[in-house]
Amino acid sequence: MASVPMHQGLLLAGILFSLGLVGLLVRRNVIFMLMSLEIMLNAAGLAFVVAGARWGQADGQIVFLFILTMAAAEVSVGLALVLQIYRRFKTLDSDAVSEMRG
Amino acid sequence: MEVVFYIAAIVAIISTVLAITRLNAVHALLYLIVSLLSVAIVFFVIGAPFMAALEVIIYAGAIMVLFVFVVMMLNLGKKATDMEKQWQRGGMWVGPSILAAVLIAEVAYLVSSPATAVYGSTVIEPKQVGIVLFGPYLIGVELASMLLLGALVGAYHLGRRTPEKTEK
């Protein structure tokens, strides 16, 4: 059967990653920046799974599992930081936290 | 199955664009969940059913619920009721519902079609993934457990409410 060609999947991963990057650069709300990070990590995992499916190996899916673990750890720490920022600065604007210089 | 892949890809791109352009965090989260679900369908079509299940359970389930919890915690206070009124007034649920309905139709199509036609020639079973995961990648599993433990301790330490006296 004609399965999905690899470059189409990689193209989708690239588009999703670029969208996440644009969201990370454009938004100034910390919650939206974390969500954009999730989009980018998800797109990177998609690229690994597509490449693993191309060669018929399970390694791509293993790396996606590790990315999933890392995303879960990152988002829990990140959201705890968001709570702290909101408690101290009473805002979610990331520019307000720019007083920490060096 | 190429058609299913293309429709899921288009849904993923549309919902991601809408997610990063919403002004309201909860609306953005709705679109982000739809985006993750469509990526799960992409995983299913390209022959990774285990990863599709994990995408739905962990990404769209657990991580997005964390986001929802934090968004709800941040909106405590007098503004919360006004916001709630605003959210319930508009028909913001229509957009995510339409995109999710497309995905449900795709899943129904995939389930109803015979199994040999669903997968490509190279479907990687969960058993194969497990054998490789706990074989050559065993050290990675151990490191992942250490990472999760570190994240647990870090999130607990950061999320703890400090006493008022030491608050600067």
Side-chain angles (χ1 to χ4, degrees), chain A residues 1 27 38 42 57 59 84, chain B residues 20 22 119 124 137 158:
Chain A
M1 79 156 260
R27 304 306 292 260
E38 289 301 310
N42 193 39
Q57 299 291 319
D59 301 74
Q84 278 291 348
Chain B
I20 64 173
R22 291 304 95 181
Y119 295 126
I124 299 169
Y137 287 97
L158 286 172

Side-chain angles (χ1 to χ4, degrees), chain A residues 1 4 8 16 19 27 32 35 38-39 42 46 53 57 59 61-62 64-65 68 73 75 84 86-87, chain B residues 6 16 20 22 28 32 36 43 46 48 51 54-55 58-59 67 74 119 122 124 129 137 151 158 160:
Chain A
M1 79 156 260
V4 180
Q8 311 267 0
L16 287 181
L19 285 174
R27 304 306 292 260
F32 283 97
M35 280 163 55
E38 289 301 310
I39 294 172
N42 193 39
L46 175 63
Q57 299 291 319
D59 301 74
Q61 302 193 20
I62 305 288
F64 178 74
L65 263 178
L68 202 65
V75 84
Q84 278 291 348
Y86 187 73
R87 245 175 240 156
Chain B
Y6 290 128
T16 308
I20 64 173
R22 291 304 95 181
L32 192 52
L36 294 174
F43 284 163
I46 66 175
M51 292 306 119
L54 281 184
E55 175 94 9
I58 298 183
Y59 253 120
F67 270 103
L74 293 179
Y119 295 126
T122 59
I124 299 169
V129 177
Y137 287 97
L158 286 172
R160 198 178 42 178

Side-chain angles (χ1 to χ4, degrees), chain A residues 89 94-102:
Chain A
F89 298 96
S94 64
D95 289 334
V97 204
S98 64
E99 62 179 21
M100 188 170 68
R101 303 180 201 280

Side-chain angles (χ1 to χ4, degrees), chain A residues 23-50:
Chain A
L24 181 68
L25 294 175
V26 168
R27 304 306 292 260
R28 290 268 73 87
N29 190 319
V30 188
I31 291 224
F32 283 97
M33 292 168 76
L34 271 178
M35 280 163 55
S36 303
L37 271 180
E38 289 301 310
I39 294 172
M40 288 164 69
L41 284 173
N42 193 39
L46 175 63
F48 271 109
V49 173
V50 167

